[in-house]
Amino acid sequence: MKKYDIAVIGGGAGGLTAAIGAVQFGAKTALIEKDPEPGGDCLHYGCVPSKAYIKAAKELRDAKKAAEEFGLGLSGAPDFSVVKSRVQDAIAEIQPHDDRKRLRSLGIDEYHGTASLKTKNEISIDTGETIYAKRIVIATGSSPMIPPIAGLEDISYLTNETIFSIDRVPLKLVVLGSGPVGIELAQAMSRFGSDVTVIDHSGLMEKEEPEIRELAHHLLSEEMTFMFNRKVTKAQKKAEKIGLTVEGDSGTTQEIECNALLIAAGRKPNVKEMGLEKAGVDVKDGKIVVNKKMQTSVSTIFACGDVTGEYPFTHAAGQEGKTVVANAVFGVKQSVDYTHTPYTIYTDPEVFHLGLTEKEARDEYGDNIHVYRSDARHVDRFTAERNKTGLVKIITDKKGAILGAHAIGTLAGDWMQEVVFAKQHGHKIKDFSSVIHPYPSHGEMVSKAADQYWQKRLFEGKVPKLTETYIKWLR
């Protein structure tokens, strides 16, 4: 039986970070991955292919808008095989960063197979091998959650794991779920030419600020149909179509038809048939329970990424993987902290989220907060590009420390990064006013929000009277 310092089960973002970090620090490391190549959901079925879809869809939308505005003729349907090729090319270019050959070159022993725990230190692989490790890291990710819908097993439906393999755009598409996965793909497919309807049991972007949520709903409604506070209770095959029974909160039902159904109703951690109970690993609500050190109920076993259900984003999994290395390899008792971890919903325009919302801040701090806003209509770059849709909202405590920052706008996930840096390193909102942004840039949205801090300090209250007196005295 081979013995290791660290054995990682799963080659997604969290698992790769843990494995590569461990081996680079000198730990004898093994990685077990069931798929042909590592990379996880993000590379093969999530972040990378979806962004390729989104980019291609935006180019088509922009081409149509430009043709109309400049009086050009544009006809015909897009060649969807080009879109599919783009997806595969993007995956192929990124794959070498994570492939088995590179892992071996780093000194990692990589195994191709499905793993399960035999004990708190032993892993059984379905190839017939068993390995021993002082520390085990579970990073098996998540998979699409399929809701209990009558007749669903009798139809062919899409998930994020299969939609990138389709050969043509469905004439009518129903998307079940309006979370980031569902809404991003819904907008992309609409721009490719599909008539899209989104159905959700709640509403759109309910974790976001009300004004951002409302603006996003208004803009997205121009490209697709929403059916909120509804659920699909039955599905059946109807010739070349799919028939769906949709039930509202009041119990009323209606029948709709589509050519394809995309299920994006959430994710479930991959914990089944892993032998967690044999090792004594606690699982609650289908998620592996971990402490802030990413340690499970068993001291020798850690977990990171979607399998914990904590923060289902690739960048968070990478952050957790680093925490695992610190604790599992060095025992430094480092804790993971999501306080400064942002996320972006990659619709067009993008929606950015960092920290507390205004409501959350008021619940925690009462009225001892300040809220600063800026609007894209007052930023020259947005005006010059004839796209004046966007806003920024920054929430601080009474001393100006950043509690939360939220935005919607073109590439908001990029130009809001300076706020992430500022929050993480303890800078206050006033500091943005002294940051020089190239003119004209989208980032002026942030500095204009910060300017309001000085406007309140310098032009309200006692300060204006004092400065007036001082100026008169100088004269």
Side-chain angles (χ1 to χ4, degrees):
M1 182 189 302
K2 288 188 177 181
K3 295 185 177 181
Y4 297 92
D5 298 311
I6 296 284
V8 181
I9 304 173
L16 287 172
T17 300
I20 293 172
V23 77
Q24 288 179 333
F25 280 115
K28 188 176 181 182
T29 305
L31 175 74
I32 307 104
E33 169 57 50
K34 62 179 177 57
D35 290 336
E37 288 290 352
D41 191 77
C42 181
L43 175 59
H44 299 289
Y45 314 115
C47 315
V48 172
S50 69
K51 302 312 166 283
Y53 256 40
I54 289 168
K55 175 63 175 176
K58 188 177 188 305
E59 288 178 1
L60 282 171
R61 171 67 179 264
D62 290 347
K64 292 175 183 177
K65 289 181 67 175
E68 292 173 2
E69 183 174 354
F70 293 102
L72 300 174
L74 187 65
S75 61
D79 183 350
F80 198 68
S81 66
V82 176
V83 178
K84 192 173 179 180
S85 294
R86 279 194 179 192
V87 170
Q88 298 306 318
D89 290 347
I91 293 173
E93 286 187 36
I94 296 173
Q95 181 67 73
H97 302 164
D98 302 331
D99 67 13
R100 295 180 184 275
K101 181 179 179 181
R102 176 172 180 260
L103 297 179
R104 289 194 296 269
S105 72
L106 293 172
I108 297 172
D109 285 358
E110 51 85 22
Y111 295 84
H112 182 197
T114 300
S116 61
L117 302 180
K118 289 185 68 176
T119 67
K120 65 179 183 178
N121 293 106
E122 292 179 317
I123 300 172
S124 175
I125 307 171
D126 63 359
T127 56
E129 297 174 272
T130 297
I131 63 174
Y132 174 96
K134 295 176 184 176
R135 301 287 185 272
I136 294 173
V137 182
I138 301 172
T140 47
S142 63
S143 54
M145 185 166 59
I146 308 303
I149 298 173
L152 193 62
E153 66 278 4
D154 298 324
I155 68 168
S156 177
Y157 57 84
L158 301 169
T159 69
N160 73 296
E161 295 181 351
T162 57
I163 191 170
F164 302 111
S165 299
I166 62 175
D167 295 317
R168 61 181 184 274
V169 178
L171 182 64
K172 293 179 71 69
L173 172 70
V174 168
V175 178
L176 187 54
S178 64
V181 173
I183 201 65
E184 289 174 10
L185 290 174
Q187 186 180 43
M189 295 306 294
S190 173
R191 292 179 171 188
F192 288 141
S194 187
D195 180 1
V196 178
T197 298
V198 177
I199 303 174
D200 199 294
H201 64 87
S202 56
L204 179 69
M205 301 183 187
E206 294 193 326
K207 293 182 179 179
E208 310 309 320
E209 292 288 350
E211 52 266 58
I212 289 177
R213 183 169 64 243
E214 290 169 10
L215 180 55
H217 181 268
H218 170 73
L219 294 171
L220 292 169
S221 293
E222 296 176 355
E223 301 187 57
M224 63 196 76
T225 300
F226 287 112
M227 298 177 69
F228 290 131
N229 301 311
R230 292 175 173 85
K231 61 181 180 180
V232 175
T233 58
K234 185 179 179 180
Q236 55 184 321
K237 187 173 179 59
K238 290 188 174 182
E240 298 299 317
K241 295 183 179 181
I242 298 171
L244 301 174
T245 301
V246 183
E247 182 179 304
D249 285 346
S250 61
T252 57
T253 62
Q254 65 183 104
E255 304 294 326
I256 63 173
E257 291 185 348
C258 59
N259 301 102
L261 172 65
L262 169 62
I263 296 181
R267 312 283 298 176
K268 60 178 181 180
N270 294 327
V271 297
K272 285 188 176 181
E273 299 179 359
M274 284 200 62
L276 299 177
E277 66 285 348
K278 294 178 183 178
V281 176
D282 287 347
V283 176
K284 183 178 180 181
D285 298 327
K287 307 167 186 176
I288 295 180
V289 179
V290 294
N291 57 24
K292 290 185 177 181
K293 295 183 293 182
M294 307 311 297
Q295 189 175 41
T296 70
S297 55
V298 179
S299 62
T300 58
I301 300 176
F302 295 76
C304 62
D306 286 7
V307 76
T308 70
E310 288 290 326
Y311 210 82
F313 296 97
T314 297
H315 52 285
Q319 179 184 4
E320 292 166 359
K322 293 177 182 178
T323 303
V324 166
V325 172
N327 292 305
V329 176
F330 297 104
V332 297
K333 297 183 179 180
Q334 180 176 312
S335 296
V336 68
D337 182 7
Y338 303 105
T339 306
H340 311 299
T341 305
Y343 65 77
T344 300
I345 301 173
Y346 291 96
T347 48
D348 181 21
E350 294 178 357
V351 173
F352 171 89
H353 183 117
L354 172 66
L356 303 180
T357 62
E358 180 180 352
K359 181 182 183 306
E360 290 168 341
R362 291 196 185 281
D363 289 343
E364 187 170 342
Y365 294 88
D367 291 329
N368 294 318
I369 66 169
H370 297 289
V371 180
Y372 303 92
R373 296 178 176 85
S374 63
D375 193 292
R377 292 173 296 179
H378 305 128
V379 177
D380 292 350
R381 178 62 180 272
F382 285 92
T383 300
E385 293 177 347
R386 313 312 298 157
N387 181 11
K388 295 180 282 186
T389 300
L391 62 90
V392 165
K393 183 175 183 179
I394 300 177
I395 302 105
T396 73
D397 65 13
K398 62 181 180 180
K399 293 183 178 180
I402 299 168
L403 302 175
H406 309 270
I408 181 172
T410 302
L411 298 177
D414 291 341
W415 46 260
M416 285 295 286
Q417 286 304 304
E418 63 179 312
V419 187
V420 181
F421 177 87
K423 185 176 186 300
Q424 183 170 344
H425 293 280
H427 292 283
K428 297 182 178 180
I429 190 169
K430 64 180 181 180
D431 297 333
F432 290 116
S433 288
S434 60
V435 174
I436 301 173
H437 294 85
Y439 178 85
S441 69
H442 296 118
E444 283 187 273
M445 284 268 277
V446 176
S447 59
K448 285 188 177 296
D451 289 344
Q452 295 173 26
Y453 169 87
W454 291 111
Q455 290 170 3
K456 290 183 178 181
R457 287 290 299 269
L458 299 177
F459 305 116
E460 297 177 12
K462 296 179 180 180
V463 174
K465 294 180 181 179
L466 292 173
T467 55
E468 182 181 357
T469 302
Y470 179 71
I471 292 171
K472 287 181 179 179
W473 178 75
L474 279 178
R475 289 176 180 173

